[in-house]
Amino acid sequence: MHTTSSLLTELDALPFRWEVAGTLAAPVEAVAALLLAVAEGRVGDDNLLLLARASAARQGAMTVVTGPGADAYRAELAGPVEPVDIQVDRARSRVAVQSWYAGVHTATACPAGTLVTHRVHRVVPDHPGFADGIAELGLRARMSRDLQQVLEVIADRLGCRRSTLLTRSGPAEGEIPSGEAT
């Protein structure tokens, strides 16, 4: 398991495998405030929005606790699934999540307002949540669906427009490996 104190540093050193992005017609500060809202308590649209649509969160079985280090957290889940590591970088408007995949959501200013990007850097096929996590939709489709849901919540809260999503593969694209971490 990864320590959250180095999760962003670790992911920064890796090329991304897949990326999905969309824009919101709102200031980056307002979007980042909602995207990066993480505190101890139950996961929902107002706390760890990125995971609010996960089945465990929808069932009320996902709770955020403080982790080691500044802006480090863990989302504890009911049942046998390992916790999710989270690290927030408020200065750079980004949040990293490590579960069966490791990815980073970033909010940056753009001519349309704010560009929200989700990049997956690593997939962990040996993680207990792996099969349930992607079997239904496939990783790229799941990334697009999940970011679309996040953007819809933020657009609703801020009363702004959102764009269609853009997807692309990174330099480390490839098939998701079976049985070994990448």
Side-chain angles (χ1 to χ4, degrees):
M1 171 158 289
H2 301 279
T3 60
T4 53
S5 61
S6 65
L7 182 57
L8 278 163
T9 301
E10 187 178 322
L11 295 179
D12 284 344
L14 297 173
F16 72 91
R17 296 179 66 153
W18 302 282
E19 177 183 273
V20 60
T23 59
L24 291 159
V28 69
E29 297 81 10
V31 172
L34 296 172
L35 188 67
L36 305 178
V38 182
E40 286 195 333
R42 195 167 152 194
V43 173
D45 286 353
D46 59 345
N47 189 26
L48 194 55
L49 172 60
L50 302 177
L51 298 181
R53 298 297 183 270
S55 62
R58 289 192 321 263
Q59 297 168 15
M62 187 183 296
T63 304
V64 176
V65 297
T66 302
D71 279 326
Y73 304 90
R74 290 169 40 110
E76 303 278 339
L77 293 90
V81 179
E82 292 182 23
V84 177
D85 291 329
I86 302 124
Q87 185 179 13
V88 179
D89 178 351
R90 296 181 198 291
R92 294 177 59 194
S93 300
R94 59 195 192 135
V95 59
V97 173
Q98 168 71 56
S99 61
W100 55 266
Y101 76 93
V104 179
H105 283 76
T106 305
T108 55
C110 71
T114 301
L115 176 67
V116 178
T117 305
H118 178 206
R119 288 182 168 176
V120 168
H121 296 269
R122 176 178 45 227
V123 175
V124 185
D126 291 335
H127 189 280
F130 174 76
D132 293 337
I134 67 166
E136 187 178 312
L137 292 174
L139 185 57
R140 284 184 227 183
R142 183 181 176 102
M143 286 174 65
S144 294
R145 181 202 68 191
D146 291 353
L147 184 60
Q148 186 73 33
Q149 291 172 342
V150 166
L151 294 178
E152 286 171 3
V153 170
I154 294 173
D156 182 60
R157 292 265 178 98
L158 298 178
C160 65
R161 291 185 337 270
R162 63 174 170 71
S163 72
T164 56
L165 298 177
L166 308 169
T167 61
R168 72 181 177 129
S169 298
E173 178 195 14
E175 292 300 311
I176 297 171
S178 57
E180 61 185 72
T182 60

